[in-house]
Every structure is written in C-alpha cells, then in structure tokens.
C-alpha cells in the first residue's frame, strides 16, 4: 500500500511535525540524483554572484559577515542573498513538487520524468522567479518582515506543478495554504532554521578545520569558503524544496481533505488529474 508502512515517502494522511520533516528527507534521498546536481549548478552561480557584493560590503571568509559599524553596506547584501536563495529553492521546487506528487499517488518519479521539460511548467516557474526575488528583497530590507515573506512563498512551485494553477495564481495559492492555520508557514520557518544551523556548522566548521591543520595555502582560502558554501547549499536547498512540496500536499490533506478525495477518486480518475481534486 502506498500510504502505509514505515518507509513510505509521503503517507496519504495528515502528518505530525516529525513525519513532515522525515518525508522531506526521504523525498530528497529518493531524488538526490536529480535535485543535488541541479542545486550544485545553481549554488555555484549563487556564490559567484554574491562574491563581488561581499567584497564591496567588506566581508571575508568563512562567515562573510561584518561588524556593527559596517552593517549599512551588509544589509543590502543580506537582502540580495535572501532573494537569491529563495529563487533557487523555487526552481528546485519544480522537480521536487513533481516528485512529491508522484509519491502521493504511490509511485516514484524516475530521473527521465523529472528532467523531461514536457509538462514541467518551467515557463510558469521562471515567470514567478522575479516576483519571489522582489518579495524577498523588500521583506529582508524591512528586517523581521523577512520571516513573513519567506513563510508565504514555499508553496509556489508545488501550486504550479501539482495543483496546475496559472502563473498569476501561484503566489496567492501558496500564501493561502501557508496562513490557513499557520502550520505550514511555521514549519517552513522551522525547516529553514534547522538547515541554517547545519549549513553554518558545516560551512564554518570544515573551513576552520582545514585552516587549523594547515592543509591549504592562504591564497586558496576564499576559493575554499566559496566551494564549501556551494556544496553545503547544494544539499540544504533541495532539502528545503522537498520540505515545501511535502508541506504543500500535507496542508491540502489537512485543510482540504485531499487524502479523502484521493481515496474516492483513485478508481475512476487518471493519475494526472488526481492531485487537482479538491483545489
């Protein structure tokens, strides 16, 4: 049965907090062959984009932060960084959302299915990327508003590829599910915090470990730091994208009865229309 057993990626029922996090990790595990290489390309681009901005802000490896007196230049850098990572998670959310949709109806999406452009709705996803970037830049510049902006954006890619909504409806759909009870929004922030701790621990810890052991020439410290952050983010960003996909479907089961509707419709509806039930 696809909705029973301890190794099920996405049980067809409302989940506990622990099960949500576990399902996201299992989804990433099953589709790492697609998600991690794609993420690595994007995170390398992220580091190359942010590097000149970090230099202009007076930051340095491995944390790329500044003291309080240099915060005026650092704040815009934080805003740009928040926008870039949100866009990357959005793009990774496209294949992650399709993989989660397949898991919910009891099968595993293959590599060819996830990389095939037909029906993937990359155009609609890319159309939402500037909107996501704008929302995150403005929210980050407003300080704590970043929390609200980030919490509302997670369901955009799943809304596009699973719910099949139009490009203009994806953000309202994502925000509506996030604030409906507030559970999905809170869990997205929790997931970000968990992975932020992992990212900082690995990115900074490995850097100082290599430096302490004198394994690297000083001329390569910047390259090492950029490479470490790209590698760490290449795992963290797909994990966040998988969490978004799981949260979106779990919110639909919890608030829209998707699990019940799936059970009723499965015998008479083709697979590609199952997940549209209950929107």
């Amino acid at each position: 049965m696809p909705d029973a057993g301890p190794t099920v990626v996405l049980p067809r029922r409302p989940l506990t907090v622990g099960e949500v996090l576990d399902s996201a990790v299992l989804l990433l595990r099953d589709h790492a062959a697609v998600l991690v290489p794609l993420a690595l390309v994007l995170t390398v681009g992220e580091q190359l984009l942010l590097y000149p901005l970090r230099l202009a802000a007076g930051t340095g490896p491995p944390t790329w932060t500044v003291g309080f007196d240099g915060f005026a230049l650092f704040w815009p850098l934080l805003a740009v960084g928040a926008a870039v990572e949100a866009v990357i998670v959005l793009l990774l959310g496209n294949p992650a959302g399709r993989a989660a949709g397949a898991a919910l109806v009891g099968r595993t999406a293959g590599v060819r299915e996830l990389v095939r452009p037909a029906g993937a709705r990359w155009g609609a996803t890319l159309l939402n990327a500037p909107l996501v970037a704008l929302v995150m830049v403005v929210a980050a510049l407003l300080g704590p508003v970043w929390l609200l902006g980030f919490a509302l954006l997670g369901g955009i890619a799943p809304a596009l590829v699973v719910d099949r909504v139009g490009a203009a409806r994806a953000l309202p759909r994502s925000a509506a599910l996030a604030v409906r009870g507030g559970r999905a929004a809170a869990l997205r922030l929790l997931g970000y915090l968990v992975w932020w701790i992992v990212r900082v621990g690995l990115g900074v810890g490995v850097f100082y470990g290599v430096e302490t052991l004198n394994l690297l020439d000083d001329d390569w410290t910047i390259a090492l730091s950029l490479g470490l952050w790209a590698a760490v983010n290449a795992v963290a960003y797909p994990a966040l994208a998988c969490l978004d996909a799981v949260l979106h479907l779990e919110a639909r089961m919890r608030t829209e009865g998707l699990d019940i509707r799936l059970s009723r419709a499965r015998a008479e509806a083709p697979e590609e229309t199952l997940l549209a039930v209950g929107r």
Side-chain angles (χ1 to χ4, degrees):
M1 292 292 289
D3 54 353
T7 60
V8 170
V9 173
L10 189 55
R12 201 178 301 134
R13 57 175 170 75
L15 308 177
T16 66
V17 172
E19 287 174 329
V20 167
L21 299 177
D22 287 345
S23 290
V25 172
L26 290 174
L27 187 65
L28 173 60
R29 180 201 65 183
D30 287 355
H31 301 285
V34 172
L35 295 174
V36 174
L38 175 58
L40 186 59
V41 172
L42 295 172
T43 58
V44 168
E46 174 191 34
Q47 296 304 309
L48 294 177
L49 172 65
L50 294 179
Y51 177 60
L53 301 179
R54 288 166 171 166
L55 288 183
T59 67
T63 59
W64 302 102
T65 56
V66 295
F68 183 77
D69 36 336
F71 203 70
L73 291 176
F74 184 62
W75 194 303
L77 171 62
L78 284 178
V80 173
V84 173
E85 71 177 10
V87 169
I88 291 176
V89 173
L90 167 72
L91 297 178
L92 294 172
N94 182 297
R98 287 182 280 130
L104 189 63
V105 294
R107 66 180 186 83
T108 300
V111 172
R112 289 185 179 181
E113 179 180 347
L114 294 184
V115 301
R116 186 173 61 233
R121 307 207 68 196
W122 279 112
T125 305
L126 291 172
L127 281 175
N128 274 273
L131 177 61
V132 168
L134 178 61
V135 170
M136 289 308 301
V137 165
V138 173
L141 288 175
L142 295 176
V145 179
W146 173 89
L147 297 172
L148 177 61
F150 185 81
L152 298 181
L153 297 176
I156 290 180
L160 290 170
V161 301
V162 178
D163 297 357
R164 315 300 290 184
V165 303
R169 289 186 55 207
L171 177 55
R173 172 70 170 160
S174 173
L177 282 176
V179 300
R180 194 178 295 165
R183 188 173 186 272
L187 289 182
R188 191 180 199 223
L189 292 174
L190 173 63
Y192 185 88
L193 175 62
V194 170
W195 280 102
W196 181 83
I197 293 172
V198 172
R199 290 157 62 191
V200 171
L202 289 176
V204 175
V206 173
F207 180 91
Y208 282 127
V210 172
E211 189 178 63
T212 301
L213 296 173
N214 294 317
L215 297 177
L216 194 70
D217 189 272
D218 289 344
D219 294 337
W220 288 91
T221 56
I222 291 177
L224 172 64
S225 180
L226 296 178
L228 285 173
W229 285 116
V232 170
N233 289 340
V235 177
Y237 290 165
L240 291 173
C242 289
L243 177 61
D244 286 341
V246 171
L247 282 174
H248 181 83
L249 291 173
E250 201 273 342
R252 288 191 58 188
M253 288 188 285
R254 185 173 292 274
T255 66
E256 298 177 346
L258 177 62
D259 51 333
I260 298 173
R261 293 173 182 268
L262 279 173
S263 297
R264 292 175 178 173
R266 188 174 180 83
E268 54 192 59
E271 178 182 301
E272 60 269 20
T273 64
L274 280 175
L275 293 175
V277 175
R279 282 196 286 109

